[in-house]
Amino acid sequence: MRPDPALLSSVFTGCMLLAAFFAIGRTRLTTFLRHYAASSACLAGVILVSAAVSGNPAEYAGAAATLVLKVVLIPLGLLRTARKLGDAMRLTSMTRPVLSYTLAAASVAGAWLLARRLPLSAASGRAEGGELPLAGLLFVALALILLGFLLIIIRRDLYSQIIGFLTLENGISAFAVVALGGVPFLMEMGIFAVAASGVVLMAVLSGQVHALYASHDTDALRELTD
Amino acid sequence: MSLLLLLLVPAAAAVLAAAAPDARSAGRGAVAASLAGAAALAAAAWPVVAAGERWFGGHWMLDRFTVTMAGLVVMVWVSAAAASTRYVGAEHDAGILPLRKVRLYYVLMPVFVAAMLVTLLTDHLGVLWIALEVTTLATTPLVALYRKDGAVEAAWKYLLLCSVGISVSLLGLLLLAYAGVRGGLPLGSALSLSALRGAAGSLDPQVVRWAFVLLFVGIGTKVGFVPLHPWLPDAHSRTPSPVSAMLSGVLLNVALYALLRSRTIVDLALGSAAWTSGFFLAFGLASVLFAAFVLLHQQNYKRMLAYHSVEHMGLIAFGLAMGPAGAAGAVMHMVGHTLAKSALFLSAGEILLRVHSTKIPNVGALRGRMPRTSIAFLLGFLGLIGVPTSAIFASELTFLMAAARLAPAAALAIVLALVIVAVGVLHHVFEMIYGRVDAGGDRPGATPGSPVREAWTLTHVVVGAQLALLFAGGVFFLTPGGYAAAERVAAAFTVRP
C-alpha cells in the first residue's frame, strides 16, 4: 500500500514541532542535541515527502543534505567540541523550566496567529501544493523560527545559542518548502554551505571563549558595554 | 569578461596570500591585487558610465548605482590594502600578529571584498543572500583576530546577530520570490531581481509588504539600524583598523544597497514609495537620536567612530525617506561617509600604533606627537560632522531641504541631533589633539625607539587622498552637474509617485 503523502507530511511536521518544543526545557547537552537531531530528521522527512510529490531532484538533494548535516554532522561535531574542551554537559538557562515552557507555548501560539495572518496559506506557489497540508507546515515553520529566537534569548551558554540559531534555520528551510516547494539546487547547496560554515565558526569561537574565560557561559561575555 | 576578472582577482589574491613567505610580500601582494581589481572594475564599468545604460549578463546586473557602490568598495580596498602594509607590518614586527595570522588576514580580506562585489553585481536573490552572509563569515575571524580584550566577545555577537538577521531576511527573499511565482513568473525568474522588478505590477501587495518587513529587519541588522545595532560598535572597534575602515566604510553601504534593491521592487508593486519610506524614517530617526546621545559620553575613540556609523546610516535612511531629492542626498552621503569614515579609521590605526590604547583619556597632545595624523584626524571629523565643503555637508543640505517641506518636525529633530553630535565629537577630538598628556608623552609600552617626530607613512598618503576627495566631493555635488549625477544614480532605485 502506498502511504498517503499528506498524512506522512503531517506526522513529520507535528513531530518536528514537538521535538523542538520539548528541547526548550532540556539542560543536558546530549539530550538537547538529540532533540535537535530528531527535529531535523523530521524536517528531512517533510522535504522528502515534498520531493516525492513534486519530483523535484533539488528537494531530494535537500533532504539528503539535511540528514547528513543537521541530523549527524552538526550534533556530533558540537558534542565532540564540548567533550574536547571538557565543558560541563549541563546547559544554563536564565529561566526556570516552567517559565521556559510557558514562553515556548506563547511562541507557538504567536506562530499560529501569525500563520493565519500571513497571506501565504491560501494558495501555495506550486501547482501541486494542494496535496500537502501546507497550512500546518507554515505554522510549524514559524513556530520553529520563534522557538529558535527564544532559545537564543533565554539560554546563557554558547551551545544553546548555536542550537537556537539552527532551530531558526530549520524553520526557514520548512518555510522554503511552503513558499516555493524548495529552492533551486545550487542555491540550496549554497545555503547549506553557508550555514555549515557559520556553525563551524561558532564552534571555533566557543573554543576560543573557553580558552579565554574557562567557561561557555555568555555571562563571561560582558566586557563590551556602554 | 572584465566582470569575471573582477572576481578572479580577489580569488587569486587569497590563494597567493595563503602561500606568502613573509608579512612584507603578503602586504605588497594585497596592494597589487587591489590595484588590479580597480583596473578590472574600471574596464567593466566604463560602458555603463559612458552610455548610462543598464547592463544584464546572465545572472549579473550593472547600473549606475552598482558602479558607484562597487567603485567605493574598490577604493576602500585599495586604501585598506595600502594601510595594511603599514599597520599589519608594524603589528607583525612588534610580535602581536604572528605570520600565521598575517596570512589569515590577507586571505580573508580579498574574500570579503569579493563577497561584497558579488552582492552588488548579482541579479539573483539567492546569490545575493549567500554573498551577504559570506561577508559576515569572512570578517568574523578578522574581528576575533587579536583574541583578547573582548575581541572574541565582539566576534561572537557579530556572527550570531548578523547570521540571525540575515536568516530573517531570507524569509523576506523567499516571500518576494513567492509573490513572483504567484504573479505568474517561473521559479527561476522569480529569484531574479530584474525579472521581479519588471513584473512588479503583478505582485500581490499584501505578500510584498510582509516580505519588506522581514527584509528590513533582517538586512537592517547588518546595516546597524537602532535597535538592531548592538553588534556594530563592538565588531567595528575590535578589529584591525584597516578592516574597521572596510566594515564601516563600505560593508554597511553594501547591506543598504541590498535592502534598496528589494525596496525598489516593493515600491513598484505598491505604486509608491510612501509605505516603505515610513520604515526608513522611523529607523533613521531612532538611529540618529540614539547615536547622538551615546556619542556625548563615549570614552573610546574607535567605538566613537563606530557609533558614528550608526548615526550616519540613520542619516542616510532619513534621506531615503525624503523622496527623490532625499535619495540624491542619500547617495552623496554614502559617498561622503565612505571617504570620511575610512580616512578616520585608518588615522585611528596610526594613533593606536603609537599610543597603544583606544581610550580617549589615554590619548593627548597628538598635535605635538603626531602632527600629520592629528591634522588628518581633525579634518576627517570636520568632514564627518558636515563642515563645508565636505560631501557630507552637501548631502545633509540636500536632504534636509527636502525634509523641511516633507517632514519639518523630523528635520528639526535631525538638526538638533547633528548639533549634539558636533559638540560631543569636537570636545573629544580636541581633547585627543590638544589635551594634556602625562609626563613622558608616550604611554608605557610604546614601541621603544619610536621617533619623536612622526614620519610620513603610506597611510598618510592614502588618508590625504581620501580627505581631498571628501572636500572636493562636496563642491562637486553642489554644482548643477554634480547634483544631476547624484540624481541619476539615485534614479536606479527611486520610484516616483
Side-chain angles (χ1 to χ4, degrees), chain B residues 28-312:
Chain B
R28 282 198 209 105
V31 175
S34 66
L35 290 172
L41 176 69
W46 180 246
V48 178
V49 178
E53 65 195 16
R54 180 190 274 272
W55 178 85
F56 295 106
H59 287 308
W60 305 104
M61 179 188 63
L62 219 75
D63 62 14
R64 282 209 168 91
F65 188 34
T66 320
V67 171
T68 309
M69 291 297 123
L72 291 178
V73 168
V74 170
M75 188 273 296
V76 175
W77 183 20
V78 174
S79 318
S84 294
T85 56
R86 149 95 178 133
Y87 189 86
V88 175
E91 300 243 287
H92 177 63
D93 293 343
I96 300 170
L97 290 178
L99 184 59
R100 188 177 56 80
K101 286 196 177 184
V102 172
R103 284 201 191 114
L104 179 72
Y105 178 93
Y106 283 117
V107 167
L108 290 176
M109 193 158 84
V111 173
F112 172 39
V113 170
M116 287 197 284
L117 290 173
V118 172
T119 309
L120 295 174
L121 293 165
T122 184
D123 187 40
H124 192 281
L125 285 176
V127 175
L128 179 134
W129 184 86
I130 292 167
L132 205 55
E133 175 67 4
V134 171
T135 62
T136 311
L137 297 177
T139 45
T140 300
L142 293 175
V143 174
L145 198 67
Y146 293 123
R147 286 213 198 170
K148 55 163 186 146
D149 288 347
V152 177
E153 176 187 349
W156 178 263
K157 275 193 203 168
Y158 176 54
L159 180 60
L160 192 71
L161 280 172
C162 286
S163 297
V164 168
I166 290 290
S167 299
V168 171
S169 75
L170 181 58
L171 284 177
L173 292 178
L174 289 172
L175 268 182
L176 212 52
Y178 167 77
V181 171
R182 252 178 73 175
L185 291 173
L187 181 57
S189 309
L191 287 164
S192 146
L193 281 162
S194 48
L196 280 170
R197 198 179 156 140
S202 61
L203 304 182
D204 179 350
Q206 203 52 33
V207 180
V208 158
R209 278 205 179 98
W210 276 98
F212 182 76
V213 171
L214 293 166
L215 280 166
F216 193 92
V217 173
I219 301 182
T221 308
K222 215 157 154 55
V223 179
F225 289 138
V226 170
L228 310 163
H229 72 286
W231 60 272
L232 190 150
D234 302 342
H236 286 196
S237 62
R238 293 292 153 168
T239 185
S241 295
V243 180
S244 306
M246 296 175 82
L247 285 177
S248 202
V250 280
L251 179 57
L252 301 179
N253 277 355
V254 169
L256 196 59
Y257 170 96
L259 185 56
L260 285 176
R261 281 291 184 213
S262 22
R263 179 206 190 184
T264 313
I265 297 168
V266 175
D267 286 348
L268 284 170
L270 299 179
S272 103
W275 187 76
T276 53
S277 291
F279 286 82
F280 283 94
L281 179 61
F283 281 81
L285 267 179
S287 304
V288 174
L289 294 174
F290 177 82
F293 287 103
V294 174
L295 279 168
L296 264 183
H297 65 83
Q298 186 50 247
Q299 288 296 308
N300 177 319
Y301 59 88
K302 279 190 85 176
R303 281 181 87 79
M304 177 167 86
L305 286 170
Y307 272 109
H308 260 288
S309 302
V310 175
E311 182 220 344
H312 283 272

Side-chain angles (χ1 to χ4, degrees), chain A residues 12-206:
Chain A
F12 280 132
T13 306
C15 292
M16 178 162 69
L17 178 61
L18 284 179
F21 182 85
F22 286 105
I24 294 284
R26 304 291 165 196
T27 49
R28 269 190 64 81
L29 183 62
T30 38
T31 327
F32 192 58
L33 287 173
R34 219 171 277 147
H35 272 80
Y36 168 70
S39 181
S40 303
C42 295
L43 173 66
V46 169
I47 301 176
L48 196 66
V49 174
S50 171
V53 171
S54 70
N56 179 359
E59 282 199 279
Y60 281 113
T66 306
L67 266 181
V68 174
L69 203 65
K70 295 180 173 173
V71 181
V72 182
L73 288 184
I74 286 178
L76 280 184
L78 284 177
L79 200 60
R80 258 198 62 187
T81 312
R83 290 229 166 95
K84 207 171 76 188
L85 295 172
D87 269 341
M89 291 289 143
R90 275 212 102 63
L91 305 173
T92 45
S93 173
M94 286 204 290
T95 52
R96 290 177 177 283
V98 175
L99 181 57
S100 305
Y101 279 123
T102 313
L103 290 173
S107 306
V108 172
W112 187 70
L113 291 176
L114 203 60
R116 285 176 15 136
R117 285 192 59 120
L118 260 188
L120 197 73
S121 46
S124 167
R126 57 215 195 131
E128 54 283 271
E131 288 193 38
L132 293 177
L134 290 174
L137 185 56
L138 174 66
F139 152 60
V140 170
L142 295 174
L144 286 191
I145 291 167
L146 293 183
L147 288 173
F149 270 119
L150 184 66
L151 275 175
I152 292 174
I153 293 166
I154 66 170
R155 289 299 182 96
R156 290 194 314 198
D157 63 285
L158 304 181
Y159 297 108
S160 299
Q161 294 199 343
I162 297 176
I163 293 296
F165 170 66
L166 286 166
T167 305
L168 190 146
E169 193 82 53
N170 275 358
I172 293 173
S173 303
F175 187 86
V177 174
V178 180
L180 300 175
V183 292
F185 178 70
L186 278 178
M187 181 174 163
E188 176 101 57
M189 291 304 116
I191 293 174
F192 267 111
V194 161
S197 325
V199 173
V200 169
L201 257 180
M202 285 180 188
V204 169
L205 279 178
S206 63

Side-chain angles (χ1 to χ4, degrees), chain B residues 68-69 72 75-76 248-249 253 312-313 316 328-344 380 383-386 389-396 466-467 469-471 473-474 477:
Chain B
T68 309
M69 291 297 123
L72 291 178
M75 188 273 296
V76 175
S248 202
N253 277 355
H312 283 272
M313 286 302 124
I316 294 169
V331 168
M332 298 176 196
H333 207 98
M334 286 190 210
V335 175
H337 177 250
T338 299
L339 288 166
K341 194 51 65 68
S342 54
L344 280 168
L384 195 63
I385 60 175
T389 61
S390 153
I392 289 179
F393 167 74
S395 66
E396 286 174 355
Q466 287 180 330
L467 290 174
L469 279 174
L470 174 67
F471 284 94
F477 285 136

Side-chain angles (χ1 to χ4, degrees), chain B residues 456-481:
Chain B
W456 272 103
T457 66
L458 198 49
T459 309
H460 292 126
V461 180
V462 169
V463 169
Q466 287 180 330
L467 290 174
L469 279 174
L470 174 67
F471 284 94
V475 177
F476 172 68
F477 285 136
L478 289 174
T479 61

